[in-house]
Amino acid sequence: MKALNTVYLVLYFLLGGLSVITAASKILALRNDFSRSLSILAGGTLLAAGSFLVMYPAVYRWVGETSGIPTLGSLLISLCIFGFGIHSHVLVRLWSRDQGALSTPGPRRLARPATLYPPIGLAVVTLYFMAAFSGPQELRSWRITADSHFLVVCFLATSWVAIAVPLLATASQSRKIHRISRSEQPSISRGLRAVRIGAFLLGSSYALKLPPLTASSFGAHHIDALHLGAPLLSGAGALLMLYGCLAPALDAWMYERRDFRALRPLWKLTVQAGDPRLALAPPGPLTEKLALNVAKWYLPRRVMEISDALHALHPWMRPEPADLVLRSARPTTPAPYLTAACTAATLIDAITRKRQGIPPQRDIPTAPLPSVPPAEERAHLVRVAAALQHHHGRHLER
């Protein structure tokens, strides 16, 4: 039992910390994208963080002492988890509408949670206050025996059903989205799968509490093992759901960090060769090394400075290096990588010509570099950096 309590404690702090991080990240993201889906996601994760906060013994006692109702924290915990389940269900229904997974999409279908869950929440609150004045000791200890007050049993059963219903509905709806979704983004697919499995585990953990509760109310305790294992199941479910909420943003952050670091050799080479004055606000050594928060300024600035440096090197560029690459390329080479190889060859040739003191060409009839749409510029420059490192590593060390 002591080892199990240690596991519960570690799981509590892990999930509590992760829920706070997730809620904070979603709230900060609202500054740039105040969409309905992100608002719902931020509200849900904030409720999840609130449930873990109230679970902390000092906070639980403070809530009871401040309100004058010693077990009020139990109600707040249940309502926070219930609210998290509702937010999750509404969110996946919005995703379902976007993916065409709702059989009859429209405001009426989306409004069903708004008509289903308020009466359930009202029943939970009503039963709690009725039970709080009838059997406060059972609410404080959460121990149900054959002598426990009927209202206490009703409150616990109703609150657990209330939590299980939206979570299991979230799992069901997520399965439908995942089955019909044609998204090409692996991070979204992984996040959706994690939400589906996590919601099922978390909802099932509360559903599994009902048989021990019923048995204990009749004096039978031989299936209490289900009640002891439920926190582990709910912990695994909560962990998966929080990961599902974080996965797309985490993958985007990792891609931005990877691209920032991948562009460094190309940035250093082109800016030094083109015009060092183009680097108006170079990142510091710590930012350059860790690249933890570069998306809003340093990464776009790096792409812009590389583009400006390529423009500055334009008078030394010739079409011959790119033509040579095109003639020697394999027919199966993907077009984006071939374009990057042509750009890399043209760039190396231009830098070499400039370093040799060859005068620039003022009148160039055609653009030596292949044209790339602005939306694909960053990905194109990352491929150019990879081509330079692969084929011309010795030039990057100069």
PDB file of all heavy atoms in Angstrom, residues 338-364:
ATOM      1  N   LEU A 338      15.507  19.143 -55.956  1.00  0.00           N
ATOM      2  CA  LEU A 338      16.280  19.559 -57.128  1.00  0.00           C
ATOM      3  C   LEU A 338      16.405  21.085 -57.159  1.00  0.00           C
ATOM      4  O   LEU A 338      17.480  21.620 -57.468  1.00  0.00           O
ATOM      5  CB  LEU A 338      15.590  19.045 -58.389  1.00  0.00           C
ATOM      6  CG  LEU A 338      16.338  19.272 -59.709  1.00  0.00           C
ATOM      7  CD1 LEU A 338      17.707  18.623 -59.672  1.00  0.00           C
ATOM      8  CD2 LEU A 338      15.518  18.736 -60.877  1.00  0.00           C
ATOM      9  N   THR A 339      15.318  21.779 -56.836  1.00  0.00           N
ATOM     10  CA  THR A 339      15.361  23.242 -56.779  1.00  0.00           C
ATOM     11  C   THR A 339      16.349  23.712 -55.714  1.00  0.00           C
ATOM     12  O   THR A 339      17.117  24.659 -55.928  1.00  0.00           O
ATOM     13  CB  THR A 339      13.962  23.798 -56.475  1.00  0.00           C
ATOM     14  OG1 THR A 339      13.059  23.362 -57.476  1.00  0.00           O
ATOM     15  CG2 THR A 339      13.982  25.315 -56.425  1.00  0.00           C
ATOM     16  N   ALA A 340      16.352  23.045 -54.554  1.00  0.00           N
ATOM     17  CA  ALA A 340      17.289  23.406 -53.488  1.00  0.00           C
ATOM     18  C   ALA A 340      18.727  23.159 -53.913  1.00  0.00           C
ATOM     19  O   ALA A 340      19.621  23.965 -53.614  1.00  0.00           O
ATOM     20  CB  ALA A 340      16.959  22.615 -52.224  1.00  0.00           C
ATOM     21  N   ALA A 341      18.982  22.053 -54.620  1.00  0.00           N
ATOM     22  CA  ALA A 341      20.341  21.760 -55.088  1.00  0.00           C
ATOM     23  C   ALA A 341      20.813  22.811 -56.099  1.00  0.00           C
ATOM     24  O   ALA A 341      21.975  23.234 -56.072  1.00  0.00           O
ATOM     25  CB  ALA A 341      20.384  20.372 -55.697  1.00  0.00           C
ATOM     26  N   CYS A 342      19.901  23.248 -56.966  1.00  0.00           N
ATOM     27  CA  CYS A 342      20.249  24.299 -57.934  1.00  0.00           C
ATOM     28  C   CYS A 342      20.584  25.600 -57.214  1.00  0.00           C
ATOM     29  O   CYS A 342      21.556  26.294 -57.561  1.00  0.00           O
ATOM     30  CB  CYS A 342      19.106  24.519 -58.907  1.00  0.00           C
ATOM     31  SG  CYS A 342      18.816  23.144 -60.046  1.00  0.00           S
ATOM     32  N   THR A 343      19.793  25.941 -56.210  1.00  0.00           N
ATOM     33  CA  THR A 343      20.059  27.158 -55.439  1.00  0.00           C
ATOM     34  C   THR A 343      21.392  27.073 -54.717  1.00  0.00           C
ATOM     35  O   THR A 343      22.168  28.041 -54.696  1.00  0.00           O
ATOM     36  CB  THR A 343      18.924  27.397 -54.430  1.00  0.00           C
ATOM     37  OG1 THR A 343      17.682  27.489 -55.118  1.00  0.00           O
ATOM     38  CG2 THR A 343      19.158  28.660 -53.634  1.00  0.00           C
ATOM     39  N   ALA A 344      21.679  25.912 -54.115  1.00  0.00           N
ATOM     40  CA  ALA A 344      22.937  25.743 -53.397  1.00  0.00           C
ATOM     41  C   ALA A 344      24.127  25.864 -54.338  1.00  0.00           C
ATOM     42  O   ALA A 344      25.132  26.531 -54.019  1.00  0.00           O
ATOM     43  CB  ALA A 344      22.952  24.387 -52.695  1.00  0.00           C
ATOM     44  N   ALA A 345      24.049  25.244 -55.504  1.00  0.00           N
ATOM     45  CA  ALA A 345      25.159  25.328 -56.468  1.00  0.00           C
ATOM     46  C   ALA A 345      25.363  26.758 -56.942  1.00  0.00           C
ATOM     47  O   ALA A 345      26.500  27.245 -57.054  1.00  0.00           O
ATOM     48  CB  ALA A 345      24.868  24.404 -57.649  1.00  0.00           C
ATOM     49  N   THR A 346      24.272  27.461 -57.239  1.00  0.00           N
ATOM     50  CA  THR A 346      24.364  28.856 -57.676  1.00  0.00           C
ATOM     51  C   THR A 346      24.952  29.735 -56.583  1.00  0.00           C
ATOM     52  O   THR A 346      25.788  30.617 -56.847  1.00  0.00           O
ATOM     53  CB  THR A 346      22.970  29.373 -58.075  1.00  0.00           C
ATOM     54  OG1 THR A 346      22.424  28.521 -59.077  1.00  0.00           O
ATOM     55  CG2 THR A 346      23.045  30.788 -58.595  1.00  0.00           C
ATOM     56  N   LEU A 347      24.548  29.487 -55.350  1.00  0.00           N
ATOM     57  CA  LEU A 347      25.033  30.288 -54.235  1.00  0.00           C
ATOM     58  C   LEU A 347      26.523  30.080 -54.002  1.00  0.00           C
ATOM     59  O   LEU A 347      27.288  31.049 -53.829  1.00  0.00           O
ATOM     60  CB  LEU A 347      24.240  29.927 -52.974  1.00  0.00           C
ATOM     61  CG  LEU A 347      24.672  30.594 -51.669  1.00  0.00           C
ATOM     62  CD1 LEU A 347      24.579  32.101 -51.779  1.00  0.00           C
ATOM     63  CD2 LEU A 347      23.822  30.081 -50.507  1.00  0.00           C
ATOM     64  N   ILE A 348      26.968  28.828 -53.984  1.00  0.00           N
ATOM     65  CA  ILE A 348      28.386  28.545 -53.770  1.00  0.00           C
ATOM     66  C   ILE A 348      29.227  29.183 -54.878  1.00  0.00           C
ATOM     67  O   ILE A 348      30.287  29.768 -54.626  1.00  0.00           O
ATOM     68  CB  ILE A 348      28.628  27.029 -53.711  1.00  0.00           C
ATOM     69  CG1 ILE A 348      28.117  26.483 -52.373  1.00  0.00           C
ATOM     70  CG2 ILE A 348      30.099  26.698 -53.874  1.00  0.00           C
ATOM     71  CD1 ILE A 348      28.871  26.995 -51.171  1.00  0.00           C
ATOM     72  N   ASP A 349      28.752  29.095 -56.105  1.00  0.00           N
ATOM     73  CA  ASP A 349      29.482  29.693 -57.215  1.00  0.00           C
ATOM     74  C   ASP A 349      29.563  31.215 -57.064  1.00  0.00           C
ATOM     75  O   ASP A 349      30.626  31.818 -57.296  1.00  0.00           O
ATOM     76  CB  ASP A 349      28.801  29.332 -58.530  1.00  0.00           C
ATOM     77  CG  ASP A 349      29.485  29.947 -59.731  1.00  0.00           C
ATOM     78  OD1 ASP A 349      30.598  29.474 -60.087  1.00  0.00           O
ATOM     79  OD2 ASP A 349      28.926  30.912 -60.305  1.00  0.00           O
ATOM     80  N   ALA A 350      28.472  31.848 -56.652  1.00  0.00           N
ATOM     81  CA  ALA A 350      28.467  33.298 -56.491  1.00  0.00           C
ATOM     82  C   ALA A 350      29.406  33.737 -55.373  1.00  0.00           C
ATOM     83  O   ALA A 350      30.147  34.726 -55.514  1.00  0.00           O
ATOM     84  CB  ALA A 350      27.047  33.782 -56.207  1.00  0.00           C
ATOM     85  N   ILE A 351      29.390  33.018 -54.247  1.00  0.00           N
ATOM     86  CA  ILE A 351      30.274  33.375 -53.134  1.00  0.00           C
ATOM     87  C   ILE A 351      31.737  33.195 -53.538  1.00  0.00           C
ATOM     88  O   ILE A 351      32.603  34.021 -53.217  1.00  0.00           O
ATOM     89  CB  ILE A 351      29.919  32.529 -51.897  1.00  0.00           C
ATOM     90  CG1 ILE A 351      28.536  32.914 -51.372  1.00  0.00           C
ATOM     91  CG2 ILE A 351      30.964  32.699 -50.808  1.00  0.00           C
ATOM     92  CD1 ILE A 351      28.050  32.057 -50.231  1.00  0.00           C
ATOM     93  N   THR A 352      32.022  32.121 -54.262  1.00  0.00           N
ATOM     94  CA  THR A 352      33.402  31.885 -54.721  1.00  0.00           C
ATOM     95  C   THR A 352      33.861  33.000 -55.654  1.00  0.00           C
ATOM     96  O   THR A 352      34.991  33.510 -55.537  1.00  0.00           O
ATOM     97  CB  THR A 352      33.485  30.527 -55.435  1.00  0.00           C
ATOM     98  OG1 THR A 352      33.052  29.502 -54.530  1.00  0.00           O
ATOM     99  CG2 THR A 352      34.909  30.240 -55.877  1.00  0.00           C
ATOM    100  N   ARG A 353      32.992  33.408 -56.571  1.00  0.00           N
ATOM    101  CA  ARG A 353      33.347  34.478 -57.503  1.00  0.00           C
ATOM    102  C   ARG A 353      33.570  35.803 -56.768  1.00  0.00           C
ATOM    103  O   ARG A 353      34.492  36.560 -57.093  1.00  0.00           O
ATOM    104  CB  ARG A 353      32.232  34.638 -58.544  1.00  0.00           C
ATOM    105  CG  ARG A 353      32.169  33.498 -59.560  1.00  0.00           C
ATOM    106  CD  ARG A 353      30.873  33.525 -60.351  1.00  0.00           C
ATOM    107  NE  ARG A 353      30.700  34.786 -61.080  1.00  0.00           N
ATOM    108  CZ  ARG A 353      31.262  35.058 -62.254  1.00  0.00           C
ATOM    109  NH1 ARG A 353      32.027  34.145 -62.840  1.00  0.00           N
ATOM    110  NH2 ARG A 353      31.048  36.214 -62.844  1.00  0.00           N
ATOM    111  N   LYS A 354      32.751  36.075 -55.777  1.00  0.00           N
ATOM    112  CA  LYS A 354      32.929  37.319 -55.035  1.00  0.00           C
ATOM    113  C   LYS A 354      34.222  37.303 -54.243  1.00  0.00           C
ATOM    114  O   LYS A 354      34.944  38.314 -54.169  1.00  0.00           O
ATOM    115  CB  LYS A 354      31.734  37.539 -54.108  1.00  0.00           C
ATOM    116  CG  LYS A 354      31.799  38.869 -53.353  1.00  0.00           C
ATOM    117  CD  LYS A 354      30.594  39.098 -52.480  1.00  0.00           C
ATOM    118  CE  LYS A 354      30.716  40.442 -51.755  1.00  0.00           C
ATOM    119  NZ  LYS A 354      29.579  40.692 -50.842  1.00  0.00           N
ATOM    120  N   ARG A 355      34.531  36.158 -53.595  1.00  0.00           N
ATOM    121  CA  ARG A 355      35.769  36.059 -52.815  1.00  0.00           C
ATOM    122  C   ARG A 355      37.008  36.157 -53.699  1.00  0.00           C
ATOM    123  O   ARG A 355      38.076  36.595 -53.247  1.00  0.00           O
ATOM    124  CB  ARG A 355      35.773  34.755 -52.028  1.00  0.00           C
ATOM    125  CG  ARG A 355      34.814  34.757 -50.833  1.00  0.00           C
ATOM    126  CD  ARG A 355      34.776  33.399 -50.179  1.00  0.00           C
ATOM    127  NE  ARG A 355      33.943  33.417 -48.977  1.00  0.00           N
ATOM    128  CZ  ARG A 355      33.589  32.348 -48.284  1.00  0.00           C
ATOM    129  NH1 ARG A 355      33.983  31.153 -48.692  1.00  0.00           N
ATOM    130  NH2 ARG A 355      32.836  32.452 -47.203  1.00  0.00           N
ATOM    131  N   GLN A 356      36.888  35.751 -54.945  1.00  0.00           N
ATOM    132  CA  GLN A 356      38.014  35.840 -55.872  1.00  0.00           C
ATOM    133  C   GLN A 356      38.197  37.238 -56.445  1.00  0.00           C
ATOM    134  O   GLN A 356      39.121  37.466 -57.230  1.00  0.00           O
ATOM    135  CB  GLN A 356      37.818  34.834 -57.013  1.00  0.00           C
ATOM    136  CG  GLN A 356      37.954  33.383 -56.572  1.00  0.00           C
ATOM    137  CD  GLN A 356      37.631  32.407 -57.680  1.00  0.00           C
ATOM    138  OE1 GLN A 356      37.134  32.793 -58.748  1.00  0.00           O
ATOM    139  NE2 GLN A 356      37.905  31.125 -57.437  1.00  0.00           N
ATOM    140  N   GLY A 357      37.319  38.138 -56.074  1.00  0.00           N
ATOM    141  CA  GLY A 357      37.439  39.505 -56.545  1.00  0.00           C
ATOM    142  C   GLY A 357      36.877  39.745 -57.923  1.00  0.00           C
ATOM    143  O   GLY A 357      37.153  40.799 -58.533  1.00  0.00           O
ATOM    144  N   ILE A 358      36.092  38.830 -58.448  1.00  0.00           N
ATOM    145  CA  ILE A 358      35.489  39.026 -59.771  1.00  0.00           C
ATOM    146  C   ILE A 358      34.420  40.116 -59.653  1.00  0.00           C
ATOM    147  O   ILE A 358      33.573  40.069 -58.759  1.00  0.00           O
ATOM    148  CB  ILE A 358      34.863  37.709 -60.275  1.00  0.00           C
ATOM    149  CG1 ILE A 358      35.953  36.644 -60.435  1.00  0.00           C
ATOM    150  CG2 ILE A 358      34.118  37.926 -61.587  1.00  0.00           C
ATOM    151  CD1 ILE A 358      35.437  35.289 -60.834  1.00  0.00           C
ATOM    152  N   PRO A 359      34.442  41.100 -60.507  1.00  0.00           N
ATOM    153  CA  PRO A 359      33.469  42.201 -60.404  1.00  0.00           C
ATOM    154  C   PRO A 359      32.053  41.712 -60.660  1.00  0.00           C
ATOM    155  O   PRO A 359      31.830  40.767 -61.418  1.00  0.00           O
ATOM    156  CB  PRO A 359      33.925  43.179 -61.501  1.00  0.00           C
ATOM    157  CG  PRO A 359      34.720  42.350 -62.445  1.00  0.00           C
ATOM    158  CD  PRO A 359      35.377  41.284 -61.625  1.00  0.00           C
ATOM    159  N   PRO A 360      31.085  42.327 -60.017  1.00  0.00           N
ATOM    160  CA  PRO A 360      29.680  41.903 -60.189  1.00  0.00           C
ATOM    161  C   PRO A 360      29.150  42.283 -61.564  1.00  0.00           C
ATOM    162  O   PRO A 360      29.627  43.233 -62.197  1.00  0.00           O
ATOM    163  CB  PRO A 360      28.958  42.666 -59.090  1.00  0.00           C
ATOM    164  CG  PRO A 360      29.799  43.878 -58.847  1.00  0.00           C
ATOM    165  CD  PRO A 360      31.220  43.456 -59.070  1.00  0.00           C
ATOM    166  N   GLN A 361      28.154  41.521 -61.982  1.00  0.00           N
ATOM    167  CA  GLN A 361      27.459  41.818 -63.228  1.00  0.00           C
ATOM    168  C   GLN A 361      26.261  42.708 -62.911  1.00  0.00           C
ATOM    169  O   GLN A 361      25.376  42.308 -62.159  1.00  0.00           O
ATOM    170  CB  GLN A 361      26.992  40.529 -63.912  1.00  0.00           C
ATOM    171  CG  GLN A 361      28.131  39.606 -64.319  1.00  0.00           C
ATOM    172  CD  GLN A 361      27.621  38.297 -64.909  1.00  0.00           C
ATOM    173  OE1 GLN A 361      26.459  37.972 -64.767  1.00  0.00           O
ATOM    174  NE2 GLN A 361      28.506  37.578 -65.577  1.00  0.00           N
ATOM    175  N   ARG A 362      26.230  43.869 -63.483  1.00  0.00           N
ATOM    176  CA  ARG A 362      25.168  44.816 -63.163  1.00  0.00           C
ATOM    177  C   ARG A 362      23.880  44.513 -63.916  1.00  0.00           C
ATOM    178  O   ARG A 362      22.796  44.733 -63.412  1.00  0.00           O
ATOM    179  CB  ARG A 362      25.638  46.245 -63.495  1.00  0.00           C
ATOM    180  CG  ARG A 362      26.834  46.690 -62.655  1.00  0.00           C
ATOM    181  CD  ARG A 362      26.508  46.622 -61.170  1.00  0.00           C
ATOM    182  NE  ARG A 362      27.652  46.957 -60.326  1.00  0.00           N
ATOM    183  CZ  ARG A 362      27.641  46.861 -59.010  1.00  0.00           C
ATOM    184  NH1 ARG A 362      26.567  46.403 -58.385  1.00  0.00           N
ATOM    185  NH2 ARG A 362      28.710  47.188 -58.312  1.00  0.00           N
ATOM    186  N   ASP A 363      23.998  44.039 -65.125  1.00  0.00           N
ATOM    187  CA  ASP A 363      22.813  43.772 -65.945  1.00  0.00           C
ATOM    188  C   ASP A 363      22.665  42.274 -66.154  1.00  0.00           C
ATOM    189  O   ASP A 363      23.382  41.679 -66.963  1.00  0.00           O
ATOM    190  CB  ASP A 363      22.918  44.489 -67.296  1.00  0.00           C
ATOM    191  CG  ASP A 363      22.983  45.998 -67.129  1.00  0.00           C
ATOM    192  OD1 ASP A 363      22.317  46.503 -66.215  1.00  0.00           O
ATOM    193  OD2 ASP A 363      23.712  46.655 -67.902  1.00  0.00           O
ATOM    194  N   ILE A 364      21.756  41.654 -65.398  1.00  0.00           N
ATOM    195  CA  ILE A 364      21.524  40.214 -65.498  1.00  0.00           C
ATOM    196  C   ILE A 364      20.143  40.010 -66.124  1.00  0.00           C
ATOM    197  O   ILE A 364      19.130  40.442 -65.561  1.00  0.00           O
ATOM    198  CB  ILE A 364      21.583  39.538 -64.118  1.00  0.00           C
ATOM    199  CG1 ILE A 364      22.942  39.840 -63.460  1.00  0.00           C
ATOM    200  CG2 ILE A 364      21.369  38.043 -64.229  1.00  0.00           C
ATOM    201  CD1 ILE A 364      23.067  39.300 -62.060  1.00  0.00           C
TER     202      ILE A 364
END
